[in-house]
Amino acid sequence: MGDERVHLPESKEESQQFLKYLLRDVRAMEKMLNEGWFEIDNVRIGAEQEVCLIDQYAKPSPIAMELMEKLGDNGFTTELARFNLEANLTPQLFEGKCLSNLETEILEKLDQIRDVMRDFDGDVALAGVLPTIRKSDLDIKNLTPLQRYRALCDAINKLRGEEYDLRIQGADELLMRFDTPLLEASNTGFQVHLQVSPNEFVEKYNLAQAIAGPVLASAVNSPLLFGKRLWSETRIALFHQSVDTRTVGDHLRDSSPRVTFGNDWIKESILEIYREDIARYRVILSSNVDEDVEKLLEEGKVPQLRALQIHNGTVYRWNRPCYGISEGKPHLRIENRVFPSGPTVSDEIANAAFWLGLLNGMGQHYPNIHEKLDFDDVRMNFFAASKLGMDTKFRWINDKRVSAVELITEELLPIAREGLENAGVDKGDISSYLDIIEDRADSGQTGSFWMVKSYNELSKKVSREQALTALTNAMVKNQKKGEPVHRWGLAKVDDMENWQPHTLLVEEFMTTDLFTVQKDDILELVANLIDWRRIRYVPVEDDSKHLVGLITMRKVFRDYNNVIHGKSKESTSVDDIMIKNPITIHPEASILQAIEIMDEQQIGCLPVVKNNRLVGVITEQNYMTITKRLLRVLDKKKSLNS
């Protein structure tokens, strides 16, 4: 949805007019298909590389607009958030050294971005979800200030409401409330395009659906969000929920989300998808369409089909149909939106080679794939791969249950090699990139496996925030080296060389695994919590998670001491001794602000509150963790300077 002129419909009449243009575009495409307007002589591939912009502390750097001014219009474009950028790559004929040419161009684009980022003391990271991203980074202030992005956010909020809950269950569970669709900006991907002729579209599109699960299983690179270990490819769940405009009803009515894998095989043409998207999804954006498609067709001129392209840009299929024009000739493409960004450019091109080879070779081995696989199984394969990566068990041809490793290495890789050979792709390219997929499958080390394994080891030694920083720094270093992820060693504590406490927010260091009581609870429960959990502070909250007080270990000891020495009667409930209206802090305040408050007020605990709800606590123990790491950094710098 790159059209700058899109906006929310301002009236019912404008929505109706845009819908007329949309239906007219569909009729125009039908006419073009029937009359053979589309290019069939050439097959091209293309790609879009999305990147995360990071500062010197490995946190998101919202400077995309400033960066674009220096980069100029050299194939770069903005994304939804100010800390992301996209590079559009030159289409290549699907032959010869197209794959290595694509890799060379991506590396050149990344070098251009890095050269400019140095002026801002920043860098670039390739990750499906940046490990160090924080909830505060997803504030609406980081929305890229362009009309089309504001219009999209307003449209989603209008349909869904401004607040919604995100819930993803993996090894950990994430349950969090958001008030902006900017959550989707946590995702960055590597989109791959394949041009197909109209008469091949149905077969190729169905094959793309069939192989989506296996190719994703080998490519997963997004296991972490806000320090939680979730799906192997958390992007999938995150994208589905972040732009889901459905509301909950009283009855079991079927309703498709705007981010969708699809509902069935297609049978006749690309028009089935466009018609379904018009039937299922309301028009949420409009534009001043100024082309008369019927007149253009009469004159033999190729229309842009702007209304169709705008609506297509608001329905997010993981395999998206695309209409485009090259050198005055219309063409059809399949856009693979499954792959995450990273771990390295070599890994990305290997993923693309695997997918392209399969699309070009599967049809010979499995003609009419829709007769051999149940669509529900294909869809479940996709979501299973999103959750489990290379540990997935797929339901495959002839109802066979097969592991991801076995399916990829024994069946799909040989077909992909054959498909690339049939396209005339250079043999060196074929071996170079498909060997990466084979080695990755044999080792089991995908980007997600490396991240989770590194994070688990780092978390035994340092805080969550420090572990995520070290992980991101190690990832960027490995990306610059360029070796594929299956060769990476685990991230180390020493990878935090630029870590500094003044860059931290309270939300990054606060304790979120809380043990709380209510004001009517007995003090014996509090005493046991302090003993069992080895904690010094117990927040008091009501049924709605509103903070109403705080109990300290000192308060409990003092109460028992007074009872023992006959100075007072035993308190009966938490309400009798709790600190009412305790001093609190916001999760997006700086860690230095928290330290200053605790020092000035001579307190050892600050409850962290947002929207009047308790979300965490920050204590002197958290500062011990910060101080320990800071002293190590200072000692290391001293050793290097001596």
Side-chain angles (χ1 to χ4, degrees), residues 458-478:
L458 288 165
S459 296
K460 297 174 184 176
K461 303 170 184 176
V462 295
S463 71
R464 179 184 67 182
E465 191 276 338
Q466 291 169 324
L468 294 172
T469 300
L471 180 70
T472 304
N473 282 340
M475 180 178 66
V476 171
K477 289 177 186 176
N478 282 312

Side-chain angles (χ1 to χ4, degrees), residues 140-158:
I140 199 67
K141 69 178 184 292
N142 281 332
L143 178 72
T144 299
L146 295 176
Q147 170 62 29
R148 69 177 186 266
Y149 301 125
R150 170 58 69 179
L152 180 61
C153 287
D154 289 345
I156 291 172
N157 284 337
K158 182 179 179 181

Side-chain angles (χ1 to χ4, degrees), residues 232-245:
S232 289
E233 192 54 36
T234 301
R235 278 175 56 251
I236 305 301
L238 189 58
F239 199 15
H240 269 263
Q241 295 188 41
S242 62
V243 294
D244 193 349
T245 57

Side-chain angles (χ1 to χ4, degrees), residues 122-139:
D123 211 325
V124 171
L126 304 179
V129 176
L130 185 67
T132 51
I133 200 164
R134 301 158 295 188
K135 189 172 186 287
S136 56
D137 294 314
L138 303 174
D139 189 273

